[in-house]
PDB file of all heavy atoms in Angstrom:
ATOM      1  N   SER E  71       7.325 -27.068 -12.827  1.00  0.00           N
ATOM      2  CA  SER E  71       6.459 -27.988 -13.567  1.00  0.00           C
ATOM      3  C   SER E  71       5.965 -29.106 -12.666  1.00  0.00           C
ATOM      4  O   SER E  71       4.800 -29.530 -12.751  1.00  0.00           O
ATOM      5  CB  SER E  71       7.203 -28.587 -14.766  1.00  0.00           C
ATOM      6  OG  SER E  71       7.376 -27.654 -15.795  1.00  0.00           O
ATOM      7  N   TRP E  75       2.052 -29.826 -11.870  1.00  0.00           N
ATOM      8  CA  TRP E  75       1.410 -31.121 -12.090  1.00  0.00           C
ATOM      9  C   TRP E  75       0.502 -31.482 -10.921  1.00  0.00           C
ATOM     10  O   TRP E  75      -0.672 -31.824 -11.094  1.00  0.00           O
ATOM     11  CB  TRP E  75       2.482 -32.186 -12.278  1.00  0.00           C
ATOM     12  CG  TRP E  75       1.970 -33.597 -12.292  1.00  0.00           C
ATOM     13  CD1 TRP E  75       2.145 -34.537 -11.321  1.00  0.00           C
ATOM     14  CD2 TRP E  75       1.208 -34.238 -13.327  1.00  0.00           C
ATOM     15  NE1 TRP E  75       1.547 -35.725 -11.679  1.00  0.00           N
ATOM     16  CE2 TRP E  75       0.963 -35.562 -12.896  1.00  0.00           C
ATOM     17  CE3 TRP E  75       0.714 -33.813 -14.552  1.00  0.00           C
ATOM     18  CZ2 TRP E  75       0.242 -36.467 -13.667  1.00  0.00           C
ATOM     19  CZ3 TRP E  75      -0.008 -34.722 -15.318  1.00  0.00           C
ATOM     20  CH2 TRP E  75      -0.237 -36.029 -14.873  1.00  0.00           C
ATOM     21  N   ARG E 129       8.536 -38.456  -7.525  1.00  0.00           N
ATOM     22  CA  ARG E 129       8.970 -38.759  -6.163  1.00  0.00           C
ATOM     23  C   ARG E 129      10.495 -38.677  -6.035  1.00  0.00           C
ATOM     24  O   ARG E 129      11.036 -38.672  -4.926  1.00  0.00           O
ATOM     25  CB  ARG E 129       8.492 -40.153  -5.744  1.00  0.00           C
ATOM     26  CG  ARG E 129       6.977 -40.265  -5.643  1.00  0.00           C
ATOM     27  CD  ARG E 129       6.550 -41.559  -5.006  1.00  0.00           C
ATOM     28  NE  ARG E 129       5.093 -41.659  -4.933  1.00  0.00           N
ATOM     29  CZ  ARG E 129       4.361 -42.340  -5.782  1.00  0.00           C
ATOM     30  NH1 ARG E 129       4.938 -43.022  -6.760  1.00  0.00           N
ATOM     31  NH2 ARG E 129       3.056 -42.371  -5.663  1.00  0.00           N
ATOM     32  N   ALA E 146       4.854 -50.878 -13.689  1.00  0.00           N
ATOM     33  CA  ALA E 146       4.858 -52.080 -14.537  1.00  0.00           C
ATOM     34  C   ALA E 146       4.906 -51.762 -16.022  1.00  0.00           C
ATOM     35  O   ALA E 146       4.231 -52.399 -16.833  1.00  0.00           O
ATOM     36  CB  ALA E 146       3.657 -52.959 -14.220  1.00  0.00           C
ATOM     37  N   THR E 153      13.991 -49.422 -22.315  1.00  0.00           N
ATOM     38  CA  THR E 153      15.445 -49.393 -22.518  1.00  0.00           C
ATOM     39  C   THR E 153      15.783 -49.217 -23.989  1.00  0.00           C
ATOM     40  O   THR E 153      16.654 -48.414 -24.355  1.00  0.00           O
ATOM     41  CB  THR E 153      16.083 -50.689 -21.977  1.00  0.00           C
ATOM     42  OG1 THR E 153      15.808 -50.794 -20.567  1.00  0.00           O
ATOM     43  CG2 THR E 153      17.585 -50.688 -22.204  1.00  0.00           C
ATOM     44  N   ALA E 174       5.754 -27.593 -32.036  1.00  0.00           N
ATOM     45  CA  ALA E 174       4.419 -27.046 -32.249  1.00  0.00           C
ATOM     46  C   ALA E 174       4.036 -26.076 -31.141  1.00  0.00           C
ATOM     47  O   ALA E 174       3.475 -25.009 -31.394  1.00  0.00           O
ATOM     48  CB  ALA E 174       3.401 -28.172 -32.352  1.00  0.00           C
ATOM     49  N   VAL E 180       3.757 -21.057 -26.868  1.00  0.00           N
ATOM     50  CA  VAL E 180       3.954 -21.678 -25.558  1.00  0.00           C
ATOM     51  C   VAL E 180       5.450 -21.951 -25.421  1.00  0.00           C
ATOM     52  O   VAL E 180       5.953 -22.958 -25.902  1.00  0.00           O
ATOM     53  CB  VAL E 180       3.139 -22.980 -25.411  1.00  0.00           C
ATOM     54  CG1 VAL E 180       3.311 -23.565 -24.011  1.00  0.00           C
ATOM     55  CG2 VAL E 180       1.672 -22.723 -25.691  1.00  0.00           C
ATOM     56  N   ALA E 183       7.738 -23.760 -19.584  1.00  0.00           N
ATOM     57  CA  ALA E 183       7.047 -24.748 -18.770  1.00  0.00           C
ATOM     58  C   ALA E 183       7.289 -24.381 -17.298  1.00  0.00           C
ATOM     59  O   ALA E 183       8.400 -23.990 -16.935  1.00  0.00           O
ATOM     60  CB  ALA E 183       7.578 -26.152 -19.057  1.00  0.00           C
ATOM     61  N   GLY E 190      -8.654 -22.803 -23.811  1.00  0.00           N
ATOM     62  CA  GLY E 190      -8.039 -21.935 -24.795  1.00  0.00           C
ATOM     63  C   GLY E 190      -7.384 -20.694 -24.238  1.00  0.00           C
ATOM     64  O   GLY E 190      -6.675 -19.993 -24.966  1.00  0.00           O
ATOM     65  N   ARG E 191      -7.571 -20.391 -22.968  1.00  0.00           N
ATOM     66  CA  ARG E 191      -6.970 -19.203 -22.366  1.00  0.00           C
ATOM     67  C   ARG E 191      -5.661 -19.572 -21.672  1.00  0.00           C
ATOM     68  O   ARG E 191      -5.615 -20.528 -20.900  1.00  0.00           O
ATOM     69  CB  ARG E 191      -7.925 -18.567 -21.355  1.00  0.00           C
ATOM     70  CG  ARG E 191      -9.174 -17.965 -21.992  1.00  0.00           C
ATOM     71  CD  ARG E 191     -10.098 -17.385 -20.919  1.00  0.00           C
ATOM     72  NE  ARG E 191     -11.293 -16.797 -21.516  1.00  0.00           N
ATOM     73  CZ  ARG E 191     -11.406 -15.518 -21.822  1.00  0.00           C
ATOM     74  NH1 ARG E 191     -10.395 -14.693 -21.618  1.00  0.00           N
ATOM     75  NH2 ARG E 191     -12.522 -15.040 -22.351  1.00  0.00           N
ATOM     76  N   ALA E 199      -3.255 -21.584  -5.807  1.00  0.00           N
ATOM     77  CA  ALA E 199      -4.305 -22.599  -5.847  1.00  0.00           C
ATOM     78  C   ALA E 199      -5.698 -21.974  -5.895  1.00  0.00           C
ATOM     79  O   ALA E 199      -6.571 -22.425  -6.651  1.00  0.00           O
ATOM     80  CB  ALA E 199      -4.182 -23.522  -4.641  1.00  0.00           C
ATOM     81  N   GLN E 215     -22.874 -22.419 -19.797  1.00  0.00           N
ATOM     82  CA  GLN E 215     -23.831 -21.374 -20.130  1.00  0.00           C
ATOM     83  C   GLN E 215     -23.925 -21.171 -21.634  1.00  0.00           C
ATOM     84  O   GLN E 215     -25.021 -21.025 -22.187  1.00  0.00           O
ATOM     85  CB  GLN E 215     -23.422 -20.061 -19.458  1.00  0.00           C
ATOM     86  CG  GLN E 215     -24.409 -18.923 -19.701  1.00  0.00           C
ATOM     87  CD  GLN E 215     -24.029 -17.671 -18.949  1.00  0.00           C
ATOM     88  OE1 GLN E 215     -22.964 -17.577 -18.364  1.00  0.00           O
ATOM     89  NE2 GLN E 215     -24.914 -16.682 -18.961  1.00  0.00           N
ATOM     90  N   GLY E 223     -26.742 -27.695 -28.086  1.00  0.00           N
ATOM     91  CA  GLY E 223     -25.760 -27.627 -27.014  1.00  0.00           C
ATOM     92  C   GLY E 223     -24.368 -28.034 -27.420  1.00  0.00           C
ATOM     93  O   GLY E 223     -23.515 -28.284 -26.572  1.00  0.00           O
ATOM     94  N   GLY E 231     -13.116 -20.382 -26.110  1.00  0.00           N
ATOM     95  CA  GLY E 231     -12.316 -19.654 -25.147  1.00  0.00           C
ATOM     96  C   GLY E 231     -13.155 -18.801 -24.208  1.00  0.00           C
ATOM     97  O   GLY E 231     -12.694 -17.778 -23.750  1.00  0.00           O
TER      98      GLY E 231
END
Side-chain angles (χ1 to χ4, degrees):
S71 287
W75 171 251
R129 295 190 181 99
T153 300
V180 183
R191 293 178 180 266
Q215 183 176 8

